[in-house]
Amino acid sequence: MSHAVRSAPVTRQRIIAAVLHIIGQGGVAAVTNRRIAKEAGVSLGSVTYHFASQHELLRESLLHFVREETRRFTELADACQQEGIDIEGAAALAGQVAGGMAFDSEHIAPFELYVEAGRDGRLREAAAEAFAAYDRLAAQILGGLGVPDAERLAATTVALVMGLQLRRLATGSPAEDLVDALLLLARGALPGATPPHPRASNSLS
């Protein structure tokens, strides 16, 4: 196997990382082959060799991010199930993950890509695949916590988490807001449960 063949996945990975970084900094409009090549430290020809079009670049970058996030959160979900974590513990863990997630360019980029999918129908299949992955993960976590109709509630949970993460991005609101919202949703979904009142928040956002 030649060195070029062995290094191809590494080069491709560097290009995708560069695309996410560029989108997070300047939006989709900032993505050009020359900027990608400079950011990734590869030749201009490498960009066009690995990705035939900008559409392919955007699609693969979105799917890569979601796969990595899904892998990370699946490991957390498996750990929760093995340790027998309860709803409060799961919500607290989600808050820790959210609070520890810096909204750097890589984490801003997917929001940009989802909006772009609204403009470019060619990206919608990738966006749908991304949300399906999040839904499967949410259903796994909810089911592990004993929430009935976990699959039916999965999309609502994903929408809640993503909406609150977008709110944090826009306003700087605390991760505790996410914990409160998840507790309300999960406890309200349990048989015979009365949803608690959320904690009072000093945030006006």
Side-chain angles (χ1 to χ4, degrees), residues 88-205:
E88 286 79 3
L93 180 59
Q96 290 173 15
V97 170
M101 180 189 293
F103 277 120
D104 52 21
S105 57
E106 243 186 64
H107 287 88
I108 295 173
F111 289 100
E112 293 273 0
L113 285 167
Y114 292 137
V115 172
E116 186 65 18
R119 301 188 185 101
D120 186 348
R122 295 173 300 172
L123 288 174
R124 288 179 184 168
E125 183 178 349
E129 184 178 335
F131 277 95
Y134 284 135
D135 288 350
R136 287 193 298 272
L137 178 56
Q140 178 187 353
I141 294 173
L142 292 172
L145 292 172
V147 173
D149 284 336
E151 291 187 5
R152 183 177 62 85
L153 290 173
T156 300
T157 305
V158 170
L160 176 67
V161 171
M162 293 195 71
L164 286 171
Q165 288 294 74
L166 182 59
R167 180 173 178 168
R168 287 186 61 226
L169 171 64
T171 68
S173 60
E176 285 77 15
D177 289 353
L178 174 60
V179 176
D180 286 336
L182 288 173
L183 284 172
L184 283 168
L185 179 67
R187 285 176 173 166
L190 289 173
T194 302
H197 293 290
R199 293 193 304 267
S201 175
N202 293 326
S203 171
L204 296 178
S205 59

